[in-house]
Amino acid sequence: MAEAQLIVSQDEFTCSVCLDTLTDPVTILCGHNFCLKCLTDCWDQSQVCSCPQCRHTFTTRPELNRNTLLNEVIKKLKKTTLSPPPPQNYAGPGYVECDFCTGKKFRAVKSCLTCPASYCQTHLQPHYEVATLKHHKLVDPDRNLKEKLCGKHQKSLEIFCKTDDSCICMMCVVTEHNGHKMVELETERVEKQVSDV
């Protein structure tokens, strides 16, 4: 009988808290896996017990039991194929670092203008899974996020005030630019490109 081949990536066995291969893995009710120590430390430092990945909140602190099957799979993979993440995943000179990585920082794959923060692939996951984060504006990694925020309100600059010739946030529209001629920032950018040609 032919043997089935299983192809897995290290990301499937990575704790989203420490970003390392799972150690003493535990699975919580929402289905996410973490290192026993990482999850225990996380919950000991917080008054609320919630999943660090999807933010599902538990009314009472769940009892954490080691996932023995997952632990055995990780042990076998470590002996055969599992190796540390390749160095190109770490943020080097010229790359944007993940704002949520601790220790050695991974390279950011997206920046969120709503949060405003930059995320590696692992820390970006909640933006794809959590309903309230799915509507955030994600852009390519940007080391100049602060320049895209209103200095007064810390909101993303989305509007161009033609009257004052300045980029403003939605709060500025309401508080300081009432009655001014305004357009979306992208519309103004396209208009300026066309007029410069």
Side-chain angles (χ1 to χ4, degrees):
M1 186 160 97
E3 216 175 278
Q5 192 172 12
L6 179 64
I7 300 171
V8 293
S9 74
Q10 178 161 356
D11 291 345
E12 296 173 64
F13 300 101
T14 300
C15 171
S16 63
V17 176
C18 68
L19 298 177
D20 207 350
T21 305
L22 289 164
T23 307
D24 291 329
V26 292
T27 305
I28 54 178
L29 296 173
C30 59
H32 292 113
N33 300 300
F34 303 95
C35 300
L36 175 62
K37 184 180 181 340
C38 291
L39 191 58
T40 303
D41 290 350
C42 189
W43 285 355
D44 285 347
Q45 295 170 13
S46 175
Q47 294 176 345
V48 178
C49 289
S50 65
C51 172
Q53 194 162 336
C54 70
R55 304 289 182 232
H56 176 84
T57 305
F58 305 99
T59 49
T60 58
R61 184 171 177 158
E63 181 181 339
L64 299 176
N65 294 311
R66 194 161 124 195
N67 184 329
T68 52
L69 176 63
L70 186 56
N71 193 50
E72 288 304 312
V73 169
I74 291 170
K75 272 186 193 175
K76 285 178 184 173
L77 283 171
K78 276 185 180 178
K79 286 179 186 171
T80 56
T81 59
L82 204 56
S83 59
Q88 69 263 21
N89 284 342
Y90 291 109
Y95 289 100
V96 178
E97 293 181 341
C98 173
D99 291 318
F100 288 85
C101 287
T102 55
K104 195 164 184 181
K105 304 252 184 196
F106 279 97
R107 185 186 309 165
V109 293
K110 289 288 181 188
S111 292
C112 177
L113 295 177
T114 313
C115 289
S118 296
Y119 299 92
C120 65
Q121 191 62 52
T122 303
H123 286 119
L124 182 65
Q125 273 317 114
H127 276 78
Y128 296 125
E129 296 171 359
V130 179
T132 54
L133 299 176
K134 284 182 181 179
H135 303 292
H136 285 195
K137 184 161 174 73
L138 297 175
V139 296
D140 287 333
D142 191 338
R143 69 179 74 253
N144 301 317
L145 279 179
K146 286 188 170 54
E147 292 174 13
K148 294 186 168 116
L149 293 178
C150 170
K152 195 172 202 177
H153 302 109
Q154 297 305 304
K155 302 277 184 201
S156 62
L157 300 169
E158 300 175 34
I159 306 293
F160 184 78
C161 177
K162 288 185 171 267
T163 308
D164 293 339
D165 193 34
S166 63
C167 300
I168 58 174
C169 74
M170 293 305 282
M171 289 292 291
C172 287
V173 169
V174 176
T175 59
E176 300 164 29
H177 296 261
N178 198 5
H180 291 192
K181 184 172 181 185
M182 295 175 258
V183 294
E184 284 185 338
L185 205 51
E186 186 63 20
T187 305
E188 180 66 16
R189 186 184 65 76
V190 171
E191 283 178 18
K192 284 202 182 209
Q193 280 180 336
V194 170
S195 66
D196 288 344
V197 173

